[in-house]
């Protein structure tokens, strides 16, 4: 029985060249994501550590990772996850 | 009726794709922070264009042979060369700087940024800066040359063309200075006077060297 991803909290490292608004907008375009929350945790010279919360009905994890990469952001750890049985 | 609906839907989708492209270019401009650097390139090169034309016009005047055809030829040749040099020089140097920055980010993130928004924004910035850098001297050079184009058509006399070209060059320098004053939110007039004074000094020096 396949499971769907409904909520995920990740710790990510992003380039400071990308504003969090642009990254959030791009993530909202990913299939299954209905809501994105982003919190800047730490600021370095070139990078920022951000906590990102994705919420949705069936979040496409791979597409989210690829969108993040396109926007100069990489996941460092997945800290929370919420999945449900589909069908 | 069906054809009309089809045409309007085609037009609608074309407009929406243009809007999307503009939004994307705006996003690239914001990410690459290209506004500040292109402003700097624009002022430096437009300044060069106006000053070079001032030099050419007074040079011809000092040499005692102001033939509008020669002035326009020399001016257009000079502005074309400045344009091409500005475009290629700015593109190559800006691209190199942006590539270095991109590689720096890749190293920090331990990831490959090929085909990323960051890479596209960097490429956009290099092309945009090159276009600004190439066009800026051509714009001011054309403004300074315009009286000689009129003289070539027989619309104004050659001495009037010389005076107008010098005045337009110094006015262009003043406008560039005033623009800098507006950007820096300082005294617009003072900035304008400083840049036009540089033009006036150049003109004075050339006249002095040529012994009037």
């Amino acid at each position: 029985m396949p499971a769907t991803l409904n909520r995920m909290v990740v710790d990510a490292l992003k380039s400071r060249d990308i504003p969090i608004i642009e990254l959030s907008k791009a993530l909202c375009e990913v299939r299954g994501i209905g809501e994105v929350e982003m919190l800047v945790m730490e600021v370095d010279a070139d990078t920022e550590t951000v906590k990102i919360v994705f919420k949705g009905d069936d979040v496409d994890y791979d597409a989210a990772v690829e969108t993040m990469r396109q926007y100069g952001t990489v996941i460092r750890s997945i800290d929370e996850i919420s999945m449900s049985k589909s069908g | 009726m069906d054809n009309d609906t089809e045409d309007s839907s085609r037009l609608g989708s074309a407009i929406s794709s243009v809007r999307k492209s503009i939004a994307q270019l705006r996003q690239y401009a914001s990410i690459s922070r290209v506004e500040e650097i292109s402003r700097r390139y624009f002022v430096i090169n437009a300044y060069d264009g106006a000053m070079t034309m001032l030099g050419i016009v007074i040079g011809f005047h000092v040499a005692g042979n102001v033939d509008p055809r020669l002035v326009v030829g020399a001016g257009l040749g000079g502005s074309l060369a400045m344009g091409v040099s500005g475009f290629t020089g700015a593109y190559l140097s800006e691209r190199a700087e942006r590539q270095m920055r991109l590689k720096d980010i890749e190293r920090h993130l331990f990831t490959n940024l090929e085909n990323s928004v960051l890479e596209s924004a960097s490429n956009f910035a290099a092309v945009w800066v090159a276009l600004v850098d190439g066009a800026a001297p051509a714009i001011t050079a054309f403004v300074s040359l315009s009286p000689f184009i009129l003289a070539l058509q027989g619309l104004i006399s050659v001495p009037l063309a010389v005076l107008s070209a010098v005045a337009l060059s110094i006015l262009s320098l003043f406008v560039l200075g005033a623009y800098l004053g507006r950007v820096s939110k300082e005294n617009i007039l003072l900035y304008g006077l400083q840049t036009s004074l540089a033009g006036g000094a150049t003109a004075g020096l050339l006249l002095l060297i040529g012994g009037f």
Side-chain angles (χ1 to χ4, degrees):
Chain A
M1 185 77 68
T4 58
L5 178 59
N6 303 321
R7 183 174 183 274
M8 185 168 68
V9 180
V10 301
D11 180 67
L13 189 67
K14 70 175 259 304
S15 158
R16 286 194 68 193
D17 290 359
I18 297 285
I20 55 171
I21 289 182
E22 297 293 340
L23 179 59
S24 304
K25 276 185 194 166
L27 283 170
C28 279
E29 297 286 315
V30 171
R31 194 173 62 81
I33 294 182
E35 197 181 324
V36 174
E37 283 173 25
M38 216 171 277
L39 184 68
V40 178
M41 308 292 284
E42 201 182 317
V43 179
D44 282 324
D46 293 314
T47 56
E48 281 172 350
T49 304
V50 284
K51 183 176 151 184
I52 307 174
V53 183
F54 306 98
K55 290 177 195 166
D57 287 336
D58 183 9
V59 175
D60 186 339
Y61 174 77
D62 291 332
V65 169
E66 174 54 20
T67 300
M68 288 171 73
R69 185 198 69 82
Q70 288 218 342
Y71 280 76
T73 308
V74 287
I75 293 180
R76 289 210 299 202
S77 64
I78 299 175
D79 298 338
E80 274 181 56
I81 203 157
S82 165
M83 283 190 135
S84 58
K85 208 191 274 182
S86 62
Chain B
M1 188 68 186
D2 276 355
N3 277 348
D4 282 356
T5 322
E6 211 171 278
D7 282 352
S8 64
S9 86
R10 245 186 235 155
L11 185 71
S13 74
I15 290 171
S16 98
S17 80
V18 168
R19 272 195 190 142
K20 259 187 195 164
S21 304
I22 291 172
Q24 189 154 50
L25 292 180
R26 278 205 179 132
Q27 186 193 46
Y28 291 163
S30 138
I31 289 171
S32 60
R33 293 190 183 93
V34 78
E35 196 188 330
E36 184 193 328
I37 187 132
S38 48
R39 194 164 51 210
R40 201 171 300 153
Y41 270 115
F42 176 80
V43 173
I44 293 171
N45 289 286
Y47 195 87
D48 267 355
M51 204 64 113
T52 306
M53 286 310 128
L54 186 67
I56 288 178
V57 170
I58 296 179
F60 271 105
H61 173 70
V62 164
N65 178 23
V66 188
D67 179 346
R69 192 178 294 273
L70 288 180
V71 177
V72 170
L76 286 181
S79 54
L80 183 74
M82 278 192 288
V84 173
S85 138
F87 183 87
T88 50
Y91 177 74
L92 293 172
S93 59
E94 194 61 28
R95 192 166 183 276
E97 287 288 336
R98 301 269 171 182
Q99 284 296 321
M100 190 175 79
R101 170 89 188 137
L102 213 57
K103 287 197 169 84
D104 229 28
I105 297 170
E106 281 184 333
R107 214 183 57 242
H108 280 112
L109 299 178
F110 298 104
T111 192
N112 178 1
L113 289 173
E114 247 176 59
N115 302 321
S116 67
V117 172
L118 274 174
E119 190 190 52
S120 306
S122 294
N123 292 340
F124 165 79
V127 172
W128 178 256
V129 163
L131 284 173
V132 168
D133 204 57
I139 292 169
T140 45
F142 186 77
V143 168
S144 304
L145 269 185
S146 54
F148 283 98
I149 296 170
L150 294 180
L152 202 60
Q153 303 296 319
L155 296 172
I156 59 171
S157 68
V158 174
L160 183 62
V162 173
L163 275 175
S164 315
V166 171
L168 281 174
S169 300
I170 293 178
L171 184 70
S172 300
L173 294 173
F174 181 86
V175 170
L176 287 170
Y179 173 63
L180 287 181
R182 212 191 85 175
V183 166
S184 61
K185 294 189 175 66
E186 288 195 29
N187 193 330
I188 291 175
L189 200 66
L190 192 69
Y191 263 88
L193 281 176
Q194 279 174 337
T195 46
S196 45
L197 206 67
T202 309
L205 199 67
L206 279 168
L207 288 172
L208 207 68
I209 292 169
F212 301 95

